[in-house]
Amino acid sequence: IECLGIKLESMVIKDLCKEYFRAFEGKDLAHLSGMFSEDVILRDWEINAQGKKDVLSANKSIFESVGNIKIKVVEMYESHMTCICEIVIFVDSDKLLVADIIGFNSDGKISSIRAYKG
């Protein structure tokens, strides 16, 4: 993949998604902040946040409302700076089946996260 002269290979996009999931599991807001573009958008079945500050605030609220978070990646597909991830999220004693569509900009920063609960 080449965008604006920057070449990002498929494996790099998938690795960035795995890094995002590790940071999310670890409730690591500082790491997530470094991964997000300034204009990142987060949309899921409960949240619609725009801009890094609001997305980090939404993540902080999630992290404060739950205990342990564990993410199991079932499958990942990459196409044109977007990674489609089938995941299972274990939150405390709950199990959520989720599809995340994570978009990246040419700098390798996350520009959008759209999550759908199955």
Side-chain angles (χ1 to χ4, degrees), residues 49-108:
Q50 293 187 312
K52 186 188 281 194
K53 181 181 174 188
D54 288 347
V55 171
L56 288 169
S57 178
N59 280 312
K60 183 178 181 188
S61 294
I62 292 168
F63 298 159
E64 290 174 346
S65 70
V66 299
N68 293 326
I69 299 172
K70 180 71 180 156
I71 298 173
K72 178 184 175 194
V73 177
V74 177
E75 194 62 67
M76 297 177 100
Y77 308 92
E78 181 275 330
S79 179
H80 305 291
M81 303 297 286
T82 301
C83 197
I84 301 148
C85 309
E86 180 185 353
I87 60 175
V88 180
I89 304 175
F90 299 92
V91 179
D92 301 325
S93 61
D94 294 329
K95 176 181 171 181
L96 303 170
L97 304 176
V98 176
D100 272 357
I101 302 171
I102 303 173
F104 291 86
N105 66 20
S106 60
D107 294 324

